[in-house]
Amino acid sequence: MMEIKVPELAESITEGTVASWLKQPGDQVEKGEAIVELETDKVNIEVPSDEAGVLTEVMAAEGDTVRVGETIAIITAGGEAAKPTETTPTPKATEAPTEAPAAQEPKKEQPAAVAATEATTLADRPIASPAARKLAREKGIDLSQVATQDPLGRIRVQDVATFEVAPREQAKPQPATPAPQPAAPAAPGKPEERIKMSRRRKTIANRLVEVQQTAAMLTTFNEIDMSAVMSLRKRRQEKFVKDNEVKLGFMSFFTKAAVAALKKMPYLNAEIQGDEIVLKKFYDIGIAVSAPDGLVVPVVRDADKKNFGEIEKDIINLAVKARDNKLGLSDLTGGTFTITNGGTFGSLMSTPILNGPQVAILGMHAINLRPIAIDAERMENRPMMYVALSYDHRIVDGKEAVTFLKHIKDLLEDPESLIFEA
């Protein structure tokens, strides 16, 4: 008999959600074959079996939250697949059975009182995001005392932060105020649909709110005449494809320009840790891409050491992995600066939100023909793009931010200069 346990997921990730069982009780399992898919805050992970055998028991239902090291299934080695007595996954928090069948005697026995106590503890355990649990542990806060306004009852980072500011007021019972309930329909008979947020969608939501609450975020804008880049791409595209087997896109230009600008303005390639500023001496550039469960930011490693072709290949590979939900934790961690391209969806202008703990993010937008004054007497229609730089004003001053964005503008309006800059 072999226990299938939740594996180590990643640094700072201690729990996940059972996304789907790939095998059912009674199914034959080969060595190395995946039996369950877990959803974490960042990626989905398939858990394989280390031995061949039969899946005889599952201990968590789809949608349950499970912790690292927790046993979630039993594989019995040898034999043939047999019909399970129950095909429905056993919920984690259930009452202890009054009588254990004799055939299952080898399984760990617990006194009824202990089993009942553990079941009650699991049932009463507050539902909270990993970030909220971490903050509560750091501050010594009992999550059962924290109130939340979330309709699903999930405790968020901001709930813990609010409790920390005024714990006594939060902890006092409020008999006159009923517990938050889901909003009622606007009018009888009006159609609506309720969809439970995925773990990743909730994590994205929590982190975006957390960044806005903790960073002094400010955005500066500029516009870039894309004529030179578009002309260069047109002239060099055929040879580029022949040499690199990928097309020359816009992202490699912006990635190279961002690296060059970061070298001149190092405080934008940094993060705040306590009362220290950590300046990163490497350039791992996050590229925001759309995935089935929301926006993710895989990372192009050592972008300063790669040519245009290598950057384009990395971006395409990461985008395909994101679309197929195959991104690994190593693809998503450790970025120093982020680029997001809302222009892919037609956005003319937007204010990107920081990808914490990074202190800056560059937003690209749609390219549109606009009349531009060439001099005092001439106007021309030029392909123009608005660009936005959001930054943490705690360590980045306005002068640095404006200079950074202006440097990117200058490089892209003279793209050959990127060969010498980055």
Side-chain angles (χ1 to χ4, degrees):
M1 185 181 73
M2 181 185 69
E3 295 182 340
I4 302 296
K5 297 179 181 291
V6 178
E8 291 290 335
L9 301 172
E11 185 179 357
S12 80
I13 297 181
T14 60
E15 61 183 22
T17 299
V18 178
S20 63
W21 284 99
L22 307 178
K23 293 287 186 178
Q24 298 300 320
D27 287 352
Q28 188 75 37
V29 179
E30 300 299 325
K31 182 177 181 180
E33 188 175 11
I35 63 170
V36 64
E37 182 181 21
L38 301 179
E39 183 185 47
T40 72
D41 293 349
K42 295 181 178 179
V43 295
N44 283 25
I45 297 172
E46 291 184 349
V47 180
S49 173
D50 292 334
E51 295 182 12
V54 176
L55 178 61
T56 53
E57 186 177 1
V58 296
M59 301 174 178
E62 292 182 0
D64 280 354
T65 296
V66 292
R67 299 185 66 82
V68 171
E70 181 178 338
T71 300
I72 55 175
I74 300 293
I75 299 288
T76 301
E80 297 181 354
K83 288 186 178 181
T85 55
E86 287 187 359
T87 58
T88 304
T90 305
K92 293 192 300 175
T94 59
E95 292 184 5
T98 53
E99 244 181 280
Q104 296 187 5
E105 202 60 28
K107 197 174 172 179
K108 290 191 288 186
E109 254 184 83
Q110 288 184 319
V114 174
T117 301
E118 289 190 359
T120 303
T121 301
L122 285 169
D124 294 341
R125 184 176 180 229
I127 302 173
S129 68
R133 292 188 183 281
K134 180 181 178 183
L135 182 59
R137 285 196 300 269
E138 291 173 352
K139 304 298 182 184
I141 295 173
D142 181 359
L143 283 175
S144 64
Q145 301 297 317
V146 178
T148 178
Q149 298 301 314
D150 182 31
L152 298 176
R154 187 178 178 91
I155 298 172
R156 305 160 297 174
V157 170
Q158 53 266 44
D159 297 322
V160 178
T162 304
F163 182 88
E164 181 189 0
V165 172
R168 292 185 181 179
E169 288 73 11
Q170 291 280 340
K172 285 180 182 178
Q174 305 286 338
T177 305
Q181 297 293 326
K190 297 289 185 182
E192 64 177 23
E193 181 181 4
R194 293 184 183 273
I195 301 173
K196 186 176 181 180
M197 292 173 70
S198 67
R199 169 179 286 272
R200 195 168 307 136
R201 183 75 261 174
K202 286 184 281 189
T203 299
I204 292 170
N206 288 336
R207 287 183 176 171
L208 292 178
V209 172
E210 185 178 2
V211 165
Q212 289 190 312
Q213 291 179 337
T214 58
M217 196 173 76
L218 192 61
T219 306
T220 186
F221 299 90
N222 211 320
E223 62 178 353
I224 299 174
D225 183 346
M226 298 295 291
S227 301
V229 170
M230 295 175 75
S231 174
L232 178 60
R233 288 179 68 235
K234 185 177 181 180
R235 287 186 282 110
R236 302 288 182 139
Q237 189 69 269
E238 185 176 345
K239 186 176 187 307
F240 188 88
V241 171
K242 183 178 179 180
D243 293 342
N244 299 280
E245 300 181 340
V246 291
K247 286 187 176 181
L248 177 59
F250 291 111
M251 289 304 302
S252 54
F253 284 94
F254 276 85
T255 301
K256 297 293 281 185
V259 168
L262 289 170
K263 288 180 178 179
K264 291 186 177 295
M265 302 291 164
Y267 277 73
L268 279 86
N269 198 54
E271 67 177 79
I272 298 174
Q273 293 183 4
D275 58 356
E276 294 182 329
I277 298 172
V278 181
L279 300 178
K280 306 298 178 67
K281 301 298 184 179
F282 57 95
Y283 303 90
D284 288 352
I285 308 300
I287 307 294
V289 297
S290 181
D293 284 340
L295 201 67
V296 292
V297 188
V299 178
V300 175
R301 305 288 175 189
D302 298 317
D304 57 317
K305 300 175 183 177
K306 294 180 176 177
N307 59 35
F308 281 75
E310 291 169 328
I311 291 173
E312 290 290 353
K313 287 180 180 178
D314 280 359
I315 292 172
I316 290 172
N317 290 336
L318 292 170
V320 170
K321 290 170 73 174
R323 182 194 65 199
D324 296 339
N325 208 17
K326 297 296 184 183
L327 287 171
L329 291 169
S330 60
D331 296 320
L332 295 162
T333 55
T336 62
F337 181 85
T338 294
I339 302 174
T340 180
N341 186 6
T344 302
F345 307 103
S347 171
L348 181 63
M349 184 179 290
S350 64
T351 301
I353 298 178
L354 295 176
N355 179 25
Q358 298 169 24
V359 296
I361 180 172
L362 176 67
M364 300 164 55
H365 299 93
I367 300 173
N368 290 320
L369 283 175
R370 293 202 297 273
I372 301 297
I374 304 304
D375 54 37
E377 298 179 353
R378 294 183 301 153
M379 298 282 290
E380 286 186 10
N381 287 334
R382 295 288 183 90
M384 304 298 294
M385 176 193 286
Y386 288 118
V387 287
L389 178 74
S390 292
Y391 58 97
D392 193 336
H393 211 352
R394 291 180 295 172
I395 66 170
V396 179
D397 294 331
K399 178 183 176 182
E400 292 174 296
V402 171
T403 303
F404 176 92
L405 208 51
K406 179 65 165 58
H407 191 56
I408 286 182
K409 171 184 171 68
D410 293 341
L411 290 172
L412 291 173
E413 291 184 349
D414 180 20
E416 282 86 355
S417 62
L418 286 171
I419 298 172
F420 307 102
E421 285 276 349

